[in-house]
Amino acid sequence: MTSGLFCPKCGKETEAEGLCTACFREEHVLFEVPQVLEVKICAKCPSYKVGEQWIDTKLETYEDLVKKATIKIVDLAVKMNKEAESPRIKIFPEFINPNVLRVRVQAEAYVLGRHMSDEKEVEVRVRKETCDICSRIAGGYYEGIIQVRAQNRFPTKKEMGKALKIIYDVVKKAEKAGDRLAFVTDEFDLPEGVDVYMGSVNCSRQASRAIVDDFGGTVLESPKLVGAKDGKDLYRVTFAVRIPEIVAGDIVNMHGKVVLVEKVGKRISGTELSSGHSTSAPEDVKLEKLSNRSEAMSTVLVSEEGNSVQILDPVTYEPMTIKKPIFLTRSPGDEIWVVKINNDVFLLPGGNRGKE
């Protein structure tokens, strides 16, 4: 028994009105895709190019990068039938050799109410280029300069190492957040500090503020016009970071008291050496430096009575009585560390000399 229905184009019998399956597929192509495509990947970093834009990835292998780029490029190249509803596309890349892939593209959708599926094969060729960011890095590109200095002194190696770590930590975070210019172009160690050339002004600003948040001090921005592009002025900005003159380990006159500085930031905090109590002052308060913990001398705790202790003067070795600070835990006969400022002697917390 026949259906009595025939394809109006080829005349073959059909199960439903309209074109048979073969003629319908000829009239309504499900999708088109070029037989040969090209993907561009960076030769130096894990990024690939889509149109005129480079896309960053965190992929660790060449194969993974090429496959990801291939899937993206092929997917963009697929042109579905305008009548297609609920389309689904699957892409299967396979290496023929390191620079060529064979890609199977499978698609299905409903076209004018009929379910259709099709499969095509694409050859994808890999081409290596240098992305815009790697080109800039190689060319020494920079938009910001961070100049780290100390007020009225040369910074220590430890301080410069800490400042550089802060800068690179900020760069890493900015890179993860999508700032493609978040890179360090160059750094120069100088007797008076360190200069760091950076690709991104925003990242330079964030790093400068992070240094000041940790060390205290100030940052001053100085923009310089270097040209124009697309009608917009281009600037390079120098960030003059000045960390405080006073550092942890310094012994200063604070509020008329002799204080061992232990932390410097938005406030300068430490231990008042006569009593042992904690104290602090705003970072912009002018403090007189009296000594440093590294200048401490050793002596002997002779005796202890009530709120006083007897020690030997570290220079003359004569016995002298001073107020007992609350941090003292040593016993008579023990070695202690003290600083002598003018004719006064002060015990140091921690029981040792300590060095930067």
Side-chain angles (χ1 to χ4, degrees), residues 48-319:
Y48 63 93
K49 196 173 187 180
V50 177
E52 296 301 316
Q53 183 180 6
W54 285 94
I55 308 298
D56 289 326
T57 77
K58 301 300 181 183
L59 299 173
E60 297 181 355
T61 68
Y62 169 83
E63 290 77 9
D64 288 344
L65 175 62
V66 171
K67 284 185 176 182
K68 185 176 183 65
T70 296
I71 291 171
K72 181 66 174 180
I73 296 299
V74 171
D75 184 61
L76 290 173
V78 171
K79 303 299 181 184
M80 294 296 296
N81 188 303
K82 293 181 180 180
E83 304 291 340
E85 297 179 357
S86 304
R88 290 193 298 173
I89 302 172
K90 295 181 180 179
I91 299 170
F92 302 95
E94 179 183 358
F95 279 95
I96 298 176
N97 62 54
N99 297 312
V100 179
L101 293 87
R102 180 188 296 113
V103 183
R104 286 187 299 114
V105 184
Q106 296 178 349
E108 60 178 302
Y110 286 90
V111 177
L112 301 178
R114 290 196 187 188
H115 180 266
M116 293 185 67
S117 63
D118 199 2
E119 178 176 309
K120 297 182 186 296
E121 193 171 279
V122 182
E123 180 181 297
V124 173
R125 299 168 185 174
V126 183
R127 190 170 89 183
K128 295 180 181 179
E129 295 184 355
T130 302
C131 74
D132 52 348
I133 299 303
C134 289
S135 295
R136 289 181 177 184
I137 294 173
Y141 179 88
Y142 65 95
E143 293 180 358
I145 307 171
I146 301 177
Q147 295 178 335
V148 184
R149 304 289 189 269
Q151 297 173 357
N152 301 321
R153 64 181 178 87
F154 282 174
T156 65
K157 289 184 178 180
K158 183 178 179 180
E159 287 173 325
M160 290 302 91
K162 186 177 182 182
L164 286 172
K165 183 179 185 305
I166 290 172
I167 291 173
Y168 280 98
D169 285 346
V170 171
V171 167
K172 188 179 295 184
K173 291 179 181 178
E175 184 182 10
K176 288 182 179 179
D179 186 350
R180 299 195 73 234
L181 292 175
F183 58 82
V184 172
T185 303
D186 212 340
E187 64 179 72
F188 297 95
D189 294 323
L190 307 169
E192 63 271 25
V194 63
D195 289 353
V196 182
Y197 289 70
M198 302 180 64
S200 166
V201 167
N202 290 334
C203 190
S204 302
R205 182 176 292 110
Q206 292 170 14
S208 298
R209 291 175 178 173
I211 293 172
V212 170
D213 286 343
D214 190 283
F215 283 90
T218 61
V219 56
L220 177 66
E221 298 186 20
S222 301
K224 179 181 179 181
L225 182 64
V226 294
K229 184 178 181 180
D230 299 329
K232 293 184 179 180
D233 292 337
L234 298 179
Y235 291 89
R236 282 179 178 154
V237 183
T238 298
F239 297 85
V241 177
R242 298 294 180 265
I243 63 176
E245 179 180 0
I246 301 301
V247 299
D250 282 345
I251 297 168
V252 301
N253 182 344
M254 182 186 293
H255 312 307
K257 303 290 185 179
V258 177
V259 175
L260 171 65
V261 175
E262 294 168 334
K263 186 177 181 181
V264 177
K266 294 298 183 181
R267 294 187 67 83
I268 300 174
S269 58
T271 299
E272 199 271 288
L273 293 182
S274 291
S275 66
H277 293 295
S278 297
T279 187
S280 68
E283 65 170 334
D284 56 355
V285 169
K286 180 64 177 177
L287 301 175
E288 178 189 4
K289 182 176 177 180
L290 304 173
S291 183
N292 183 276
R293 184 165 192 147
S294 63
E295 299 172 3
M297 298 175 284
S298 66
T299 187
V300 176
L301 178 63
V302 177
S303 64
E304 178 182 346
E305 184 175 349
N307 293 325
S308 300
V309 293
Q310 190 178 66
I311 65 172
L312 295 181
D313 185 297
V315 178
T316 66
Y317 300 106
E318 294 180 359

